[in-house]
Amino acid sequence: MGRATGGAGPARTRERFLQGEAVEGGVRSPILGSWQRSRSLGLSPDQADLPFRGDFDPESRLVRAAAPVLDRLQYTFAGSRMNISVADASGTVLLRRFGDASFARTLPAIQRVPGFVFAERYAGTNGIGLALAERQLIRVYGAEHFAERAQGNACRALPVRDPLSGRIEGVLCFGYPRAAEDPGLATMIRKAAEAVERRLLGQSTVRERALLRSYLDARADAATGPHHRIGLDELAPELHPADRAVLLDRATELISGAQRAAVDVNLSDGRRVTLVSRPTTSASGVEGIAIEAVLTGPAFRPAGAFPSLADETAGSALLAALSLVRPPGDRPVLLVPDRLSADLMPGRHAGAAPVEGGAIGERTGLAAPTAPTAPTSPAAPAGTPDLPSDSQPLASGLVMVGEPSVGEYALAARRRLELLSEASASIGTTLDVRRTAEELAETAIPGLADFVTIDLPEAVLRGEESTDPLGDLRRVVIRGIRDDLPFSPVGKKPDFGPTTPQLRCLVSGRAVLEPDLKVAAGWLAHEPELSEQLLTAVHSLITVPLVARGVVLGVASFYRSQDPAPFGDDDRSLAQELAGRAALSMDNARRYTHERAMVLALQRSLLPHGLPDLDAVEVAHRYLPAESDVGGDWYDVIPLSGTRVGLFVGDVVGHGMLSAATMGRLRTAARSFAELDFPPDEVLTHLDNVVGRLDREDPEPEDFGIIGATCLYAVYDPTTQQCAMARAGHPPPALVRPDGTVSFPDLPAGPPLGLGGLPFEMAEIHLPEDSQLVLYTDGLIEDRNRDVDEVLEHLSGALAHPEHTPDETCQTVLDLVAPDHPYDDIALLVARTHAVDRNRIATWDLAADPALVGEVRADALRKLADWGLDETAFAAELILSELVTNAVRHGAGPIRVRLLHAHNLICEVSDTSNTAPHLRRAASTDEGGRGLFLVAQLSQSWGTRYTTQGKVIWAECALETV
């Protein structure tokens, strides 16, 4: 990408960049990042001078390991214009070879000999500097170089790592004319770097063998007597594997401590082993630690005496075995001491193979076979830590030999594994994006970092995918070992510049490591004042993109303070692993949040948005969704004829989109059946049929299970103050009387909706005026951690305040009774009852005699005049005349006429017949059939409801003034 005419690389893009234009799409992201850092450092493309260091070590480990490899490469590239360099971790060139010696004469004099520095902060974009910055294989071609002098060249560079520590020791770089570009060079440089790393590993092996040799020589003369054993299994027969692992772990800790010490280790069976650390130094000056195990106490029964390994023959055999313990690859192995000693000692079972190393083997590189120590007698060698006074030493043996730094690597590896294990259990415990980010920070401190900041787009917190993850970031989490650092506060939008590690990692999709922030140009260029303050407390940074399933969720930044060592590549891998796990959990939480938001939006859209102004009741309601998932709880308030009101509350079984959709269908059906003026038990019967039909029509019942629901329906009549109720497997309502007495009416339970074929029973209770009827779903009272009877007592206490308004009652119940973390939805409906003034009700009873129609009409007009409804009298007179006439002609006596003066004027005519009138269109030749048409035109609404004695035909007239 970006290669220009003539093969010079992105020359035009480079020129545009140097002129200050945006070039994000014209060059590879590592190259662009390096250009930006070079510019922020104030480097000039024409700059030719490079610093020179004469204090480098020409006999360093890296030089000794790389020199033979470079010699072979020089032979391979003989006659070509290839130059091969090895630089240390600071970018200082330590070795250089040329395929054609004459090529060296074309270089500046300072670059012909080792010692010049090719770090990015001095030389700009180049192979060595960029490989150290990106910590991976790098190719820089032609105009991708920042400096003008390098435009005709190309190079490939690869970091060289210490196989034991994983630390970058230096860089291997191939430089060549850009016309000689060959893809096969990538494979060759990888193989060459592996060869250097194997030689580095071989140097570590020699050092460890020398330590063991010096330990054996120091103890050879004293190694006599029956107390000397050659392995933990020989010292303590039938040692449990878990105990053996604990002993090896503690031995590694003692090695990393780098000092003389003794610790007691209690085994699982009650026995005790004392581990003693003894400093030892090889003939070449390598300092290390030998760990001996001393078995004390009468519970041990050591095995019989074995020949000593202190003699020269045995020592030689031991060293010969040690020379074979490492494979030619870059991973050491862990040898179980007892098994190796069994191969070396006569009379023991042979054939035990080396065991590939885990946390200890990968870092120590050597778990030495046991060797005898000085006799455990009162005349112990000088410097031996004192053993407990109550312990009787029985036997001792060598457990492990190693360098303290290697022991530190082993401990670090084990702690990394422990941290990953902890992360598996502690990250993603909730389906909340913000809480998951907090768990990532809490897990990383202090095991990995001292301070953690996490920035997420606002869209991700809402459960959506961010359309601009780089510009929509907000600080979400700040955690640290203390709280006085000047990080951008939570909620603020961090201003990440183009050269900052955070933006670089988001653009590249890879973790970025800055071991030393004092020389991190991109970081220092971002908010210089803030950077200076932070540099007094932090010195090393790893920033990791939070990406899961291709979605950018944010960025996590891990900082270390001045005390711990700087971050390394192992730390970067660990941070990336932690961030990857957290990102998956965050994405799961984001998807859940998105789905929950959609279900909740559907649920709320299907619930009533506003309640009508009613004469019968004063109503308040609440809906509280579950924390984990949205269910199918619902409520409804339905105005009925005759100033009556229907109160519904229900709960659909299950959670999620299906339950919410089913709830909407049930609520629609319930409202339709209620508006037909069916009594509560009949409404539940019809709903039961609906649920059964929905279950039968479900195309995939195996995925969603059987549809079911519970429901409670109450109809309150303010003219009689009677309330008829029926329930289908739903909790009974609470009744708060005007004196504050709280009770739970004993209603017939009824089966849940959907079972089919079972009857529902209705009960009627009298509700004094200003009573409160409280309907709720089971999420209010049922909780895994609470007893239902105790919850009902709390509910009674919360409701025992008759002076509260329905809205205050709702809030009190949610505050005092609802669980803190509801696992099920809660729907709550509170209705304070009213009674219609008896002076606003007029009733006439008459026989089925047409002659009485005029008298009723006249009485009704007088009553309307008394109520001040003269403007409505004409329409009411015609409506009453038609309804009474129909009752006389088509119904059966006795007939009752009732007028109700509420928000509207309601005219009711009842008789004992079950035959309902029907509105029809009368032909021009018909003499009748227009009465109900007039009623429909003159009234706001009209209808028929059935009673146990017959039917009631009603019509409602709107009042212009009340």
Side-chain angles (χ1 to χ4, degrees):
M1 185 173 70
R3 181 169 294 187
T5 304
R12 297 176 184 174
T13 303
R14 178 175 175 276
E15 292 301 322
R16 288 169 48 211
F17 172 81
L18 294 177
Q19 294 172 8
E21 299 181 23
V23 295
E24 282 77 4
V27 67
R28 292 180 291 133
S29 59
I31 301 299
L32 177 59
S34 181
W35 286 356
Q36 291 171 335
R37 294 193 296 274
S38 299
R39 183 168 60 184
S40 68
L41 286 166
L43 297 179
S44 170
D46 300 325
Q47 182 175 343
D49 295 334
L50 294 175
F52 181 84
R53 291 181 55 191
D55 59 348
F56 70 93
D57 183 5
E59 297 296 329
S60 66
R61 294 177 64 236
L62 181 59
V63 170
R64 296 199 309 270
V69 178
L70 264 64
D71 291 340
R72 290 196 298 270
L73 289 173
Q74 184 179 27
Y75 176 78
T76 301
F77 291 111
S80 70
R81 294 177 63 83
M82 176 70 72
N83 70 89
I84 308 103
S85 303
V86 169
D88 63 15
S90 67
T92 302
V93 175
L94 306 179
L95 293 171
R96 199 158 204 193
R97 300 286 190 274
F98 298 94
D100 184 351
S102 63
F103 178 61
R105 292 192 291 270
T106 65
L107 298 175
I110 195 175
Q111 297 184 27
R112 299 174 189 173
V113 295
F116 64 90
V117 183
F118 249 141
E120 187 183 63
R121 63 179 180 272
Y122 301 120
T125 307
N126 69 88
I128 292 176
L130 193 52
L132 288 172
E134 295 292 330
R135 309 177 80 83
Q136 61 179 334
L137 177 63
I138 287 296
R139 180 180 71 92
V140 184
Y141 182 88
E144 290 182 336
H145 289 87
F146 188 77
E148 291 286 351
R149 65 176 181 275
Q151 299 296 294
N153 300 329
C155 61
R156 292 180 184 265
L158 180 66
V160 175
R161 302 174 186 273
D162 185 328
L164 284 179
S165 66
R167 181 178 57 212
I168 290 180
E169 293 289 328
V171 177
L172 175 64
C173 180
F174 289 176
Y176 46 90
R178 66 171 184 245
E181 174 65 35
D182 185 350
L185 291 175
T187 301
M188 182 171 291
I189 196 171
R190 288 186 187 277
K191 291 182 177 180
E194 290 174 0
V196 176
E197 290 172 352
R198 283 197 299 271
R199 293 183 61 82
L200 286 172
L201 179 62
Q203 293 181 29
S204 297
T205 304
V206 171
R207 294 162 65 93
E208 290 165 353
R209 287 204 302 263
L211 282 175
L212 181 60
R213 177 74 269 175
S214 64
Y215 174 82
L216 292 176
D217 290 343
R219 300 298 177 184
D221 295 337
T224 58
H227 294 299
H228 309 292
R229 298 292 178 266
I230 51 177
L232 290 176
D233 288 344
E234 294 298 335
L235 294 171
E238 301 179 359
L239 187 66
H240 192 278
D243 292 334
R244 191 170 185 279
V246 169
L247 289 171
L248 292 177
D249 284 351
R250 296 304 301 273
T252 306
E253 293 177 2
L254 288 174
I255 289 178
S256 66
Q259 60 185 350
R260 194 183 306 273
V263 296
D264 287 337
V265 180
N266 295 318
L267 305 182
S268 59
D269 57 3
R271 297 182 295 178
R272 185 174 61 194
V273 173
T274 300
L275 294 179
V276 180
S277 61
R278 301 183 188 278
T280 184
T281 304
S282 70
S284 60
V286 177
E287 296 182 352
I289 301 291
I291 306 299
E292 299 173 354
V294 180
L295 308 186
T296 59
F300 284 112
R301 295 293 181 268
F306 289 91
S308 171
L309 288 181
D311 60 88
E312 185 64 28
T313 303
S316 300
L318 179 59
L319 291 178
L322 286 173
S323 66
L324 302 176
V325 301
R326 293 186 183 276
D330 61 352
R331 285 291 185 185
V333 298
L334 171 65
L335 290 175
V336 181
D338 306 302
R339 293 182 178 176
L340 180 59
S341 63
D343 292 336
L344 298 176
M345 294 304 301
R348 298 291 292 167
H349 176 69
V355 180
E356 289 292 340
I360 300 173
E362 291 182 2
R363 294 304 185 197
T364 61
L366 177 64
T370 58
T373 67
T376 54
S377 65
T384 302
D386 294 334
L387 298 176
S389 59
D390 59 345
S391 300
Q392 176 62 39
L394 297 178
S396 62
L398 180 65
V399 176
M400 189 178 294
V401 171
E403 295 181 74
S405 59
V406 177
E408 291 176 3
Y409 301 145
L411 287 177
R414 188 182 70 192
R415 286 165 184 160
R416 277 190 278 270
L417 291 175
E418 292 173 351
L419 189 60
L420 290 175
S421 177
E422 179 185 349
S424 300
S426 59
I427 296 179
T429 60
T430 66
L431 288 172
D432 181 83
V433 176
R434 189 183 300 272
R435 179 57 193 150
T436 303
E438 293 172 351
E439 290 171 345
L440 169 60
E442 292 166 359
T443 302
I445 298 173
L448 173 63
D450 296 319
F451 301 94
V452 176
T453 63
I454 298 177
D455 306 296
L456 305 176
E458 288 186 341
V460 172
L461 295 175
R462 297 193 302 267
E464 304 169 3
E465 291 187 20
S466 177
T467 57
D468 183 18
L470 303 183
D472 191 30
L473 290 175
R474 291 292 186 275
R475 181 61 47 84
V476 175
V477 174
I478 300 175
R479 288 287 189 277
I481 55 177
R482 60 180 192 272
D483 301 327
D484 59 346
L485 292 192
F487 289 107
S488 299
V490 171
K492 183 180 178 181
K493 178 180 179 180
D495 184 18
F496 293 136
T499 62
T500 56
Q502 287 83 355
L503 195 65
R504 286 160 52 198
C505 83
L506 285 173
V507 171
S508 65
R510 300 190 304 270
V512 172
L513 167 62
E514 294 289 0
D516 188 356
L517 288 175
K518 293 182 180 179
V519 298
W523 190 76
L524 291 173
H526 167 62
E527 297 188 14
E529 295 182 0
L530 179 62
S531 300
E532 290 178 5
Q533 297 179 43
L534 284 176
L535 279 178
T536 62
V538 298
H539 66 86
S540 191
L541 166 67
I542 297 174
T543 179
V544 187
L546 298 171
V547 181
R549 303 181 180 98
V551 178
V552 177
L553 303 176
V555 60
S557 301
F558 303 88
Y559 295 88
R560 274 190 179 168
S561 64
Q562 298 294 347
D563 294 333
F567 285 122
D569 284 289
D570 285 345
D571 298 310
R572 180 175 63 171
S573 299
L574 177 59
Q576 195 151 6
E577 177 70 18
L578 289 176
R581 297 188 183 195
L584 284 175
S585 297
M586 287 183 192
D587 191 51
N588 291 337
R590 181 192 65 82
R591 290 166 176 257
Y592 164 77
T593 301
H594 180 64
E595 181 179 348
R596 185 176 186 274
M598 291 193 300
V599 175
L600 185 58
L602 174 63
Q603 174 88 341
R604 293 191 183 280
S605 69
L606 296 175
L607 291 173
H609 289 253
L611 297 179
D613 190 10
L614 302 171
D615 295 302
V617 291
E618 177 188 354
V619 179
H621 58 86
R622 293 288 191 278
Y623 171 73
L624 184 64
E627 281 193 352
S628 58
D629 206 351
V630 179
D633 290 17
W634 55 283
Y635 59 87
D636 207 349
V637 179
I638 306 170
L640 302 177
S641 62
T643 68
R644 296 172 308 127
V645 62
L647 304 173
F648 264 113
V649 67
D651 183 4
V652 175
V653 173
H655 298 84
M657 189 73 71
L658 177 65
S659 296
T662 303
M663 177 275 291
R665 299 164 77 177
L666 280 184
R667 177 177 172 254
T668 301
R671 192 176 187 91
S672 300
F673 296 140
E675 289 178 344
L676 291 175
D677 270 321
F678 292 141
D681 54 340
E682 292 188 26
V683 170
L684 295 185
T685 299
H686 289 298
L687 285 178
D688 183 57
N689 294 333
V690 170
V691 173
R693 184 172 65 254
L694 291 177
D695 193 49
R696 292 191 298 272
E697 293 175 354
D698 188 354
E700 298 180 353
E702 66 278 3
D703 293 339
F704 301 103
I706 298 175
I707 298 175
T710 64
C711 182
L712 172 64
Y713 180 43
V715 177
Y716 173 67
D717 188 345
T719 63
T720 62
Q721 300 179 35
Q722 291 293 115
C723 183
M725 293 182 283
R727 62 188 180 114
H730 202 82
L735 174 60
V736 185
R737 298 189 180 274
D739 60 359
T741 303
V742 180
S743 62
F744 297 90
D746 187 15
L747 302 180
L753 300 176
L755 297 183
L758 298 176
F760 298 94
E761 298 183 50
M762 181 179 68
E764 285 194 53
I765 58 175
H766 180 75
L767 300 182
E769 188 174 6
D770 288 333
S771 297
Q772 286 192 2
L773 190 64
V774 181
L775 285 66
Y776 51 88
T777 54
D778 57 5
L780 178 66
I781 61 173
E782 294 183 4
D783 185 75
R784 298 184 181 97
N785 304 317
R786 303 188 299 174
D787 182 73
V788 174
D789 293 335
E790 293 181 0
V791 176
L792 291 177
E793 290 183 6
H794 292 314
L795 179 59
S796 298
L799 295 176
H801 298 279
E803 72 280 3
H804 286 179
T805 64
D807 191 74
E808 292 173 341
T809 299
C810 283
Q811 194 59 47
T812 300
V813 169
L814 291 185
D815 291 342
L816 301 181
V817 182
D820 295 332
H821 304 283
Y823 72 94
D824 196 5
D825 290 16
I826 298 175
L828 180 63
L829 186 65
V830 178
R832 183 188 293 279
T833 62
H834 300 309
V836 177
D837 189 349
R838 303 306 300 176
N839 295 325
R840 288 177 170 253
I841 302 175
T843 305
W844 296 273
D845 292 321
L846 64 153
D849 184 357
L852 300 177
V853 175
E855 296 180 8
V856 172
R857 189 165 58 234
D859 292 341
L861 289 175
R862 285 192 291 272
K863 179 57 71 173
L864 293 177
D866 293 341
W867 290 342
L869 303 179
D870 296 324
E871 295 181 0
T872 313
F874 176 74
E877 181 182 11
L878 290 179
I879 290 173
L880 278 176
S881 177
E882 182 60 34
L883 294 182
V884 174
T885 300
N886 278 344
V888 171
R889 288 184 178 180
H890 307 293
I895 299 172
R896 169 169 286 191
V897 178
R898 187 170 72 160
L899 293 180
L900 298 175
H901 179 198
H903 280 82
N904 293 329
L905 177 65
I906 301 173
C907 306
E908 295 182 346
V909 177
S910 59
D911 61 66
T912 58
S913 171
N914 289 325
T915 302
H918 297 281
L919 181 65
R920 64 185 181 87
R921 180 180 297 276
S924 58
T925 56
D926 292 343
E927 295 183 0
R930 298 177 178 81
L932 287 181
F933 177 76
L934 291 175
V935 171
Q937 295 300 310
L938 294 173
S939 64
Q940 189 178 46
S941 60
W942 74 280
T944 303
R945 72 173 180 267
Y946 293 93
T947 65
T948 56
Q949 294 82 22
K951 68 176 182 297
V952 177
I953 303 176
W954 56 271
E956 205 170 305
C957 299
L959 300 179
E960 297 182 4
T961 59
V962 179

